[in-house]
Amino acid sequence: MGFTPRSGWGASRSYKSSAHYRAARAARGDRMSAGTGVVSIDTHEIDKLRRALIDAGAGYKRSEVILAQSLNRAGQRVGTQLKRFIKLWTGIRRFQSVTKRIFPVIATPGKMSAGVRISGRHFRITKADFGASWKRGSAGGTHKAWNRAQTAKGSFMPRRFTGGEAYGGGLLFTRTTKARLPIKPLWGPNPAREVHRHAPMVRAIVAKEARWFLSESARRAEVELRKAKAKYGL
């Protein structure tokens, strides 16, 4: 008698035993993660900028708010560029697949650091994201992850769990053993890993936006100074 889970992935399939089901669960895509990468702007010029803003008449609290706002804007700029480059590095087609794995790191008056946190599992190789395809009798499915046309030998698209003649919904799988089951999704790029792989470029992006933060803070100081002069009729 087969073992059938009550709900979740593969609920419509029958497994030979509970051990077989646990092995299949262990191979599930959502169990695989490459951890987290953090890209942040944390300049050493904060004290000088704070003093410049205070001297311009902003006051301590106002200067802290201005610095946090400028840092957050610079952090947003870093995030925008990284999203574009991660899409390029991974070859993924859907931009939203990248954006949902990038989270803002927000600066506050008590924490002067801003940027983005890149998290989440590896991308799965699908038709929608990487142009995956498969034909019965072929050596394996084809896809264009990392912007390279390639064949993943032994991969395939199983029949839809709901039945029918269509195969897999565009998701490539591989077998974990020589047996027919269990199977697991075929993994592709991971955004956090790609950021580490392209560390020199990422550092250049952060350095560029750190310089923008300095110039923006200086501009805000000039604005505050003009306000102070206008207030006292100078």
Side-chain angles (χ1 to χ4, degrees), residues 85-97:
F85 277 109
I86 289 173
K87 186 176 184 295
L88 175 65
W89 296 332
T90 62
I92 199 164
R93 296 179 175 182
R94 294 187 300 171
F95 201 70
Q96 62 267 35
S97 297

Side-chain angles (χ1 to χ4, degrees), residues 4-13 15 21 24-25 28 30 161:
T4 303
R6 292 182 181 178
S7 63
W9 181 87
S12 60
R13 284 189 178 274
Y15 293 88
Y21 173 63
R25 290 281 296 182
R28 280 185 60 172
D30 55 8
F161 297 143

Side-chain angles (χ1 to χ4, degrees), residues 3-4 10 21 34 45 56-57 70 81 94 144 167 192 195 214 219:
F3 174 74
T4 303
Y21 173 63
E45 301 296 325
S70 300
Q81 293 182 69
R94 294 187 300 171
K144 294 183 179 180
Y167 279 84
V195 167
L214 295 176
R219 184 190 70 81

Side-chain angles (χ1 to χ4, degrees), residues 27-230:
R28 280 185 60 172
D30 55 8
R31 298 295 183 89
M32 186 174 185
S33 174
T36 301
V38 177
V39 179
S40 63
I41 297 174
D42 189 3
T43 178
H44 296 292
E45 301 296 325
I46 291 290
D47 288 338
K48 293 180 182 178
L49 291 168
R50 184 184 293 110
R51 288 196 296 271
L53 284 163
I54 292 173
D55 290 344
Y60 180 82
K61 289 185 178 181
R62 175 65 178 160
S63 66
E64 291 290 286
V65 171
I66 290 173
L67 290 172
Q69 289 174 343
S70 300
L71 265 177
N72 286 325
R73 182 70 183 106
Q76 291 172 359
R77 290 163 62 96
V78 168
T80 298
Q81 293 182 69
L82 281 182
K83 289 173 187 177
R84 293 170 181 165
F85 277 109
I86 289 173
K87 186 176 184 295
L88 175 65
W89 296 332
T90 62
I92 199 164
R93 296 179 175 182
R94 294 187 300 171
F95 201 70
Q96 62 267 35
S97 297
V98 177
T99 58
K100 68 182 182 181
R101 287 171 167 81
I102 297 181
F103 308 92
V105 175
I106 305 297
T108 65
K111 182 182 70 68
M112 288 295 175
S113 181
V116 292
R117 177 171 58 87
I118 302 98
S119 185
R121 63 190 181 188
H122 293 248
F123 294 121
R124 291 180 177 184
I125 302 296
T126 66
K127 181 178 180 179
D129 281 332
F130 298 105
S133 63
W134 178 72
K135 293 182 179 180
R136 183 177 291 277
S138 63
T142 60
H143 62 86
K144 294 183 179 180
W146 292 283
N147 276 321
R148 300 194 308 270
Q150 51 195 297
T151 299
K153 292 184 178 180
S155 64
F156 60 96
M157 291 183 183
R159 288 185 184 275
R160 295 179 187 270
F161 297 143
T162 56
E165 296 301 322
Y167 279 84
L171 176 61
L172 285 175
F173 283 80
T174 59
R175 291 186 169 86
T176 60
T177 66
K178 292 183 179 180
R180 180 171 176 269
L181 294 171
I183 61 177
K184 66 178 181 179
L186 183 66
W187 292 110
N190 181 280
R193 185 170 293 175
E194 292 304 309
V195 167
H196 288 297
R197 286 182 62 235
H198 297 87
M201 183 176 292
V202 174
R203 285 195 294 269
I205 292 171
V206 172
K208 176 184 176 182
E209 298 311 324
R211 291 192 296 271
W212 179 90
F213 161 73
L214 295 176
S215 64
E216 174 65 6
S217 298
R219 184 190 70 81
R220 295 289 295 270
E222 291 177 0
V223 171
E224 293 298 319
L225 182 58
R226 286 197 297 270
K227 287 181 180 180
K229 288 181 177 180

